[in-house]
Amino acid sequence: CERCQCNSEDKHTAILYTLLSQNLNHSRGGRSSAQQRCLCHQRRTVCLRTPHITCQAASNVLVKTISFMKNLPAFQLLPREDQLLLLDSCWVPLFLLGLVQEMVTFEVMETPAPSMLKKILLDGQSKQQEPERTQPTLAAVQRLQCCLNAFWRLDLSPKEYAYLKGAILFNPNVPGLKAALYIESLQREAQRALQEVLQPLHPEDQGRFAHILLVSSTLKSIPPTLITDLFFRPIIGNADIVELIVEMLYE
């Protein structure tokens, strides 16, 4: 917070705010008001601007993602334990690829912070209340949008999307796999098919294959909690998203 502009903003603080913030500082170990009201994008929480539209689009993409897995004979032949491990490790990258392919765009806005008076009045009851849901931060959403924009710039064809999804799904490095060697062969086959489809489509771009794999690796840096909180928490509430995906896969 020392490097942001929080300390320079809101110089003319209201008397009521001063009194309430002093009370709140005392109850929280004397943290400064600048720390509590920090406007750094790393700490600012956001939510979808149009959740009713974006969440529906995201749900449609998730359904298509699970259908892609269900319709792969090679995936269905794997032991159920391996299917679940692969599902848990790759559903986020596959879902993000689906967002890119379906051209799903979204905007966020800052979540309204609870008033200082409400914080003070409820401070004594906080231990008895359920823990507040986590909210995506502006910095995390910006990283997500950078990943999506990088893929849009690649302008992948439907075949490129399909083979890339296969290469991501069949990840032999997931711990605990029983058929790791077979899964590794499936990944090599998907990568080889991706290379073969690139040659006639982009004969002048010899580095496209490596570039696609490099950009796809950034998808693994997006935490599942961010995707869940941003796109699905408004719909599923406190339900476990992975449990719901498993039900979709085996229904």
Side-chain angles (χ1 to χ4, degrees):
C1 295
E2 290 79 10
R3 288 194 290 267
C4 74
Q5 302 300 317
C6 296
N7 292 327
S8 63
E9 297 186 10
D10 195 17
K11 292 294 184 181
H12 305 288
T13 309
I15 296 177
L16 176 60
Y17 181 88
T18 302
L19 294 174
L20 295 178
S21 62
Q22 288 175 351
N23 191 345
L24 190 62
N25 284 339
H26 178 73
S27 65
R28 295 190 176 184
R31 290 191 301 169
S32 68
S33 60
Q35 287 176 312
Q36 295 173 34
R37 296 182 291 112
C38 177
L39 300 179
C40 296
H41 71 293
Q42 289 89 351
R43 299 181 62 179
R44 289 166 59 188
T45 58
V46 295
C47 60
L48 293 172
R49 185 175 296 276
T50 55
H52 56 291
I53 297 176
T54 307
C55 290
Q56 181 61 54
S59 298
N60 293 338
V61 170
L62 185 61
V63 170
K64 292 182 179 180
T65 300
I66 303 305
S67 296
F68 167 79
M69 301 172 68
K70 293 174 66 172
N71 293 327
L72 282 178
F75 181 80
Q76 296 299 326
L77 291 175
L78 293 174
R80 185 184 178 95
E81 295 83 356
D82 285 5
Q83 293 179 13
L84 294 175
L85 288 173
L86 293 178
L87 173 67
D88 186 59
S89 67
C90 75
W91 77 268
V92 169
L94 292 180
F95 168 77
L96 294 178
L97 275 182
L99 288 184
V100 177
Q101 189 173 11
E102 298 294 328
M103 300 295 293
V104 176
T105 59
F106 61 93
E107 295 182 0
V108 295
M109 62 181 183
E110 191 169 357
T111 54
S115 67
M116 192 67 66
L117 179 60
K118 181 179 179 180
K119 288 183 179 179
I120 294 174
L121 295 177
L122 297 180
D123 186 60
Q125 307 175 18
S126 59
K127 295 182 180 180
Q128 302 175 359
Q129 294 178 339
E130 294 183 0
E132 295 183 0
R133 295 177 183 172
T134 57
Q135 290 286 345
T137 64
L138 179 58
V141 173
Q142 288 176 339
R143 286 196 298 271
L144 168 61
Q145 290 178 325
C146 283
C147 291
L148 300 180
N149 289 334
F151 265 104
W152 276 317
R153 287 193 294 270
L154 287 174
D155 193 22
L156 300 180
S157 67
K159 286 187 177 181
E160 288 174 294
Y161 275 116
Y163 293 135
L164 180 58
K165 288 177 182 179
I168 291 176
L169 172 60
F170 297 116
N171 180 10
N173 298 318
V174 175
L177 292 174
K178 294 183 177 180
L181 292 178
Y182 176 59
I183 292 172
E184 183 178 7
S185 68
L186 293 174
Q187 185 182 66
R188 286 199 304 266
E189 182 179 341
Q191 291 175 345
R192 184 169 55 252
L194 177 59
Q195 278 185 303
E196 291 176 353
V197 78
L198 287 177
Q199 293 176 357
L201 290 177
H202 305 275
E204 75 290 347
D205 191 353
Q206 299 299 319
R208 184 173 175 85
F209 175 72
H211 191 196
I212 290 176
L213 294 185
L214 179 62
V215 175
S216 66
S217 67
T218 63
L219 299 179
K220 300 179 182 179
S221 67
I222 305 300
T225 52
L226 171 63
I227 302 304
T228 304
D229 292 336
L230 185 63
F231 295 110
F232 300 110
R233 194 62 68 196
I235 299 176
I236 68 174
N238 292 324
D240 189 321
I241 184 66
V242 176
E243 291 182 0
L244 296 178
I245 293 175
V246 171
E247 290 181 6
M248 293 168 60
L249 182 63
Y250 294 114
E251 65 180 0

